Amino acid sequence: MKYLIKDCKIIDKQSKLNGKRVDILIEKGKISDIRKGIKDEKAKSIKGKNLCASVGWMDIGTHLGEPGYEHRETFESLANAALSGGYTDLATMPQSLPAIQSKAQIKNLISAGKSNGIEIHPLGALSNDLKGENITEFVDMHHGGAVGFTDGLKTVEKGGLLLRALQYVKSFDGVILHHPNDKSLSNEDLIHEGAVSTSMGMKGSPSLAEELTVYRDVQLNSYAESKLCIHLVSTSEAVTIIKSQKKKDAKISAGVSYLNLIKIDEDLATFDTNLKVKPLLRTAKDKRSLQKGLADDTLDYISSNHMPLETEKKHLEFPYATHGAIGLETAFAALNSFTTKNLELATLIDKLTTGPRNVLNIDTPTIEVGEMAKLTIFDPSATWTYEQSDVMSTSRNSPFIGHTFTGKVIATINKDKVYLNP
Amino acid sequence: MAHSKLSTKHLLGIKYITADDINLIFQTAENFKDVINRPIKKVPSLRDVTIANLFFENSTRTRISFELAEKRLSADVVNFSAASSSVKKGETLLDTVNNILAMKVDMVVMRHPAPGAHHFLSQNISANIINAGDGTHEHPTQALLDAFSMREQLGDLKGKKIVIVGDVMHSRVALSNIICLTKLGAKVKVCGPPTLIPKHILSLGVEVEYSIKKALEWCDVANILRIQLERMDIKYIPSLREYSMYYGVNKKLVDSLNKKIVIMHPGPINRGVEISSDVADSDQAIILDQVENGVAVRMAVLYLLAGNRSN
């Protein structure tokens, strides 16, 4: 099957064609032609009013359903959610049942991705059974294809353990991903501590719980002379610390969840459990700092922070609901709808393509004739509504169900897998 | 012309009602206070209305006060109480409530340990919901009866000085009081050990005073909170002994003030901890008036919300 993408603008900072409007012909999973006015009657054409094409998007920190939580997400539903949201590549969290901590499991995930049309780049567990006590078999998992090691959104409490992990990955130039949050300060992460938590009568988690951990982590990395990615920051001060540290230590990277670029603590006034997420939604000032942090490259990537959860874990009184929201299907549309006043489209795309790949030492594909086709085709001006019946994930825990967005993914192409959104 | 209807279908918290709503509740409560002091204390206002009192947390006075208010309005009443949360037992809150509503209940009075539990319920069921306490969030009828009692002593509360003493951090009474009193134009200070005062309390428009003596010298009314040991997951104060010595309100302290202040307490009292017996039983204390007013205020709330029923 051949596909012809008509009149699309290339958004790819690394490409010579960046900003140009062209046609792209895809044949047998490869880009066979790029120029204006391609005609090929045998090819299925992909058209739109204001089409753009970028390298296929990559997510860091997607939570899996399989193995163990098939009722939340299967590999098939995960792949469909990803492709529908424009993602060709996912670096997945080790939080399955059992946790991902062996070479065999890593290989299995990679193969499950392939058979469902996406590329899974597994992150292995940092500590055995995610218990925060001893490091796992990093080298073996690395040889199986693990792209980094993390305990997911579970913070490593012991500085000594994180230090050993940072030291141990140096033998293969590996990377440790760590989510910063001091549990002893964070009051169960119910809500950000501030005026909103006070008026809602809940003990909040101060920004300090994140900032102190970020500070500790960058110091540990500097001591270990290793490679650390601070996965998902939410506070203004964390951005400041990272910005200053990056000047001294080029091996520090950091990411942000898309919800933190859009929503703030005030949005929790109605106790919406689909906005009960980690990291916590903070203030308007924090949101603005995170946006600025992306624009000045303090922050390297935007994560969908996709966490599928069954209704029984979310349709509850606020304190009892589990943290997390699905995000793959809505990350781009929500970012494009709500952040473009402060963030250029080219920046957003960079943080969904090159940014995450650089963090994990993964080569970014190029949009050139002869290269394999790894493309996301989107229309930033198209409007659509995210209906409950459209949700591709097995889970429904999204704060955006029923919401109308501006900005739509039209097609996602991962080699010979071509996914067209209705 | 005063309003004759509440702006809301539920009483989820003081923050969701207006000053006009509060004043309407007060006017209505004055009438009901007359009623409950008559030889025949009952009126037929809520005949044919069925009210479920769902208490997922322990309560004595609030539960009895609501039940009396309901019975004096001639409502049919069912009571449900669970020592521990239904969630822990396996049944979800929504299932429990839906089961009860299937028996055709019109209004739900609920106490629940989770902040926002009433919001959650209001989004999922059609009955009127009255919050009788949701964790550390709100306890609106307590705030209304407190303000009503202060008003009886001082008249219009605008510009009056009220200090709330004690465990502000864990107190839904404190939060509802602060919101209610500031809506009525009163000046509010909170006083207690810094570990029991939320860091961002100033955002509610109150001031903080750490010295109990200075706080009492400033105020017209002191509302003294119970130390809620059951809500403290960790130790916020070193000992009750030290608390009592430095934040307890005793006769010597009260007598040393240059004016006579009104003393209030939402109960139940830890005698000898936050308040000494000789103060609690003195003529400055209006603790039992608060209890009496509680019934009248709750009658007013039930009566007015019943008028806003969807059918």
Side-chain angles (χ1 to χ4, degrees), chain A residues 249-280:
Chain A
D249 182 352
K251 288 181 172 180
I252 290 279
S253 58
V256 58
S257 163
Y258 86 106
L259 274 183
N260 290 90
L261 299 165
I262 294 165
K263 297 282 186 186
I264 55 173
D265 59 349
E266 290 170 23
D267 296 313
L268 283 164
T270 55
F271 296 89
D272 180 357
T273 56
N274 283 323
L275 289 174
K276 184 176 174 186
V277 289
K278 273 185 199 173
L280 295 173

Side-chain angles (χ1 to χ4, degrees), chain A residues 219-289:
Chain A
Q219 296 302 325
L220 285 171
N221 191 60
S222 171
Y223 177 86
E225 300 176 67
S226 185
K227 197 181 278 183
L228 171 69
C229 168
I230 299 169
H231 182 62
L232 307 189
V233 292
S234 63
T235 66
S236 181
E237 186 59 25
V239 176
T240 307
I241 298 169
I242 294 164
K243 187 173 182 177
S244 125
Q245 190 67 16
K246 272 190 159 185
K247 289 176 190 155
K248 296 179 260 178
D249 182 352
K251 288 181 172 180
I252 290 279
S253 58
V256 58
S257 163
Y258 86 106
L259 274 183
N260 290 90
L261 299 165
I262 294 165
K263 297 282 186 186
I264 55 173
D265 59 349
E266 290 170 23
D267 296 313
L268 283 164
T270 55
F271 296 89
D272 180 357
T273 56
N274 283 323
L275 289 174
K276 184 176 174 186
V277 289
K278 273 185 199 173
L280 295 173
L281 302 175
R282 306 234 180 228
T283 64
K285 177 177 175 251
D286 292 308
K287 180 175 91 169
R288 188 73 195 102
S289 299

Side-chain angles (χ1 to χ4, degrees), chain A residues 187-188 190 193-203 269-271 273 314-320, chain B residues 15 87 93-94 112-117 119-120 123-124 136-137 170 175 199-201 203-204 233 236:
Chain A
N187 282 321
E188 296 176 11
L190 274 185
E193 182 188 77
V196 176
S197 68
T198 308
S199 87
M200 289 172 78
M202 288 193 278
K203 277 184 205 169
T270 55
F271 296 89
T273 56
K314 294 302 279 188
H315 195 54
L316 289 173
E317 302 89 309
F318 191 83
Y320 305 149
Chain B
K15 72 165 111 25
V87 171
L93 170 64
L94 199 53
H112 195 280
H119 269 83
F120 171 68
Q123 287 152 10
N124 290 287
T136 49
H137 181 216
H170 297 93
L175 184 58
K199 181 175 163 60
H200 296 271
I201 192 80
S203 64
L204 297 175
D233 40 2
Y236 289 85

Side-chain angles (χ1 to χ4, degrees), chain B residues 5 20 29 78 82 129 136 149 175 185 207-208 213 216 219 272 300-301:
Chain B
K5 278 188 95 163
D20 283 342
V78 286
I129 296 161
T136 49
S149 307
L175 184 58
E207 290 178 39
V208 177
K213 178 113 168 64
L216 295 186
C219 73
V301 167

Side-chain angles (χ1 to χ4, degrees), chain A residues 41-165:
Chain A
E41 285 174 6
K42 286 182 189 165
K44 182 176 168 60
S45 67
I46 298 171
K47 292 180 189 167
K49 248 187 169 176
N50 184 21
L51 280 195
C52 295
S54 75
V55 167
W57 300 340
M58 169 153 193
D59 191 40
I60 299 183
T62 324
H63 284 80
L64 293 161
E66 287 189 78
Y69 301 110
E70 291 79 1
H71 56 295
R72 294 178 182 168
E73 198 83 281
T74 61
F75 286 122
E76 191 188 358
S77 69
L78 178 71
N80 286 334
L83 293 165
S84 146
Y87 293 92
T88 52
D89 293 58
L90 307 177
T92 54
M93 287 297 196
Q95 257 87 355
S96 49
L97 195 66
I100 304 301
Q101 53 193 1
S102 72
K103 186 177 179 179
Q105 289 171 296
I106 297 285
K107 285 187 162 181
N108 179 44
L109 287 182
I110 294 171
S111 140
K114 282 208 171 86
S115 51
N116 286 285
I118 55 168
E119 237 174 292
I120 290 182
H121 306 268
L123 296 162
L126 184 151
S127 66
N128 283 314
D129 299 322
L130 309 166
K131 283 184 177 165
E133 283 163 9
N134 293 301
I135 55 173
T136 56
E137 294 176 345
F138 293 170
V139 180
D140 204 31
M141 281 195 272
H142 165 69
H143 287 299
V147 294
F149 303 93
T150 180
D151 275 354
L153 295 181
K154 198 172 165 209
T155 302
V156 174
E157 285 177 40
K158 294 173 187 161
L161 173 64
L162 187 60
L163 177 62
R164 284 194 296 285

Side-chain angles (χ1 to χ4, degrees), chain A residues 173-191:
Chain A
D173 197 27
V175 58
I176 295 293
L177 284 85
H178 188 244
H179 174 63
N181 187 28
D182 184 334
K183 208 170 85 177
S184 71
L185 289 170
S186 70
N187 282 321
E188 296 176 11
D189 296 294
L190 274 185
I191 186 169

